[in-house]
Amino acid sequence: MTAADTDAKADLHHYLQSARDALLWKIDGLSEYDARRPLTPTGTNLLGLLKHTASVELGYLGDTFGRPSGEPLPWLDDDAEPNADMWVTAAESREDIVGLYRRAWAHADATIDALPLDTVGRVPWWPDDRDEVTLHHAVVRVIADTHRHAGHADILRELIDGVVGMNEGNTGIPSHDPAWWEDYRERLERAAKEADGKA
């Protein structure tokens, strides 16, 4: 492996791991109910996002490159109900899902470490004539998917208890003063109404 490949893998891993960590942080300190409850009309919930992203990693960075994990994923079976990977049943514990996610990381990381980035794999659920993908492409796809869902999780967590940011030390917000945020939100509301002609 060249130094450029090593550097590229390190960059890819850094951004993938930062998204993983952000997503996992979003369930810290929450009750079972808050970690599972649907917070959008389409049922988006925090533990479901972890279950989904674990499944994505095991598929794109495992099965696609002939490296099945052996993890049972019944929610992806042909006879599974639609969206079964996006929520957690009462019989599945938080520890089950977090453990699965961490094992998915380890399996995906082993694939990234073992193979050159130009390795071609076949995505089992894509059409046969368009199912080839390089490891580089697959890793970028997983990074994009995980960051997208980390953004979803950030909004869900803010709706639950106001916690925001990539991690505890990096909230990325200009103020922690509730009065500042109330004034800020009111200004945005006024601007929206004014633009809509309802002011």
Side-chain angles (χ1 to χ4, degrees):
M1 186 170 6
T2 68
D5 286 341
T6 301
D7 290 347
K9 284 186 178 187
D11 286 343
L12 291 167
H13 186 263
H14 169 76
Y15 286 100
L16 178 54
Q17 192 60 49
S18 71
R20 291 165 168 167
D21 291 340
L23 192 52
L24 195 56
W25 178 57
K26 294 302 169 182
I27 65 166
D28 277 0
L30 291 180
S31 68
E32 284 298 319
Y33 175 70
D34 283 338
R36 297 163 181 266
R37 68 179 167 128
L39 289 157
T40 69
T42 56
T44 308
N45 63 92
L46 291 167
L47 270 181
L49 291 173
L50 263 67
K51 185 179 186 180
H52 170 74
T53 53
S55 305
V56 167
E57 288 208 31
L58 292 171
Y60 279 109
L61 300 177
D63 298 336
T64 294
F65 294 94
R67 298 171 56 89
S69 68
E71 292 280 351
L73 305 176
W75 48 86
L76 297 182
D77 290 345
D78 289 341
D79 61 349
E81 69 175 81
N83 251 19
D85 65 323
M86 296 297 292
W87 66 285
V88 178
T89 68
E92 295 170 308
S93 73
R94 179 193 312 232
E95 292 74 24
D96 291 339
I97 301 305
V98 170
L100 172 67
Y101 196 30
R102 290 187 181 279
R103 291 190 303 277
W105 297 359
H107 190 76
D109 290 348
T111 297
I112 296 167
D113 290 343
L115 303 175
L117 289 174
D118 60 359
T119 302
V120 175
R122 295 187 182 280
V123 182
W125 54 93
W126 287 6
D128 289 341
D129 60 333
R130 294 180 284 135
D131 63 349
E132 288 191 352
V133 64
T134 64
L135 177 60
H136 185 240
H137 178 94
V139 175
V140 170
R141 179 178 285 269
V142 170
I143 290 169
D145 187 69
T146 307
H147 272 283
R148 176 175 184 254
H149 292 310
H152 294 150
D154 198 33
I155 292 168
L156 296 183
R157 183 65 189 255
E158 183 178 359
L159 291 171
I160 293 169
D161 63 4
V163 172
V164 298
M166 283 289 287
N167 57 57
E168 194 169 6
N170 179 13
T171 62
I173 60 173
S175 174
H176 292 281
D177 175 20
W180 187 92
W181 284 108
E182 185 176 341
D183 178 64
Y184 173 76
R185 192 178 184 289
E186 285 176 5
R187 286 189 299 121
L188 270 58
E189 181 70 23
R190 285 193 306 271
K193 286 180 177 178
E194 183 180 340
D196 195 41
K198 296 179 181 176

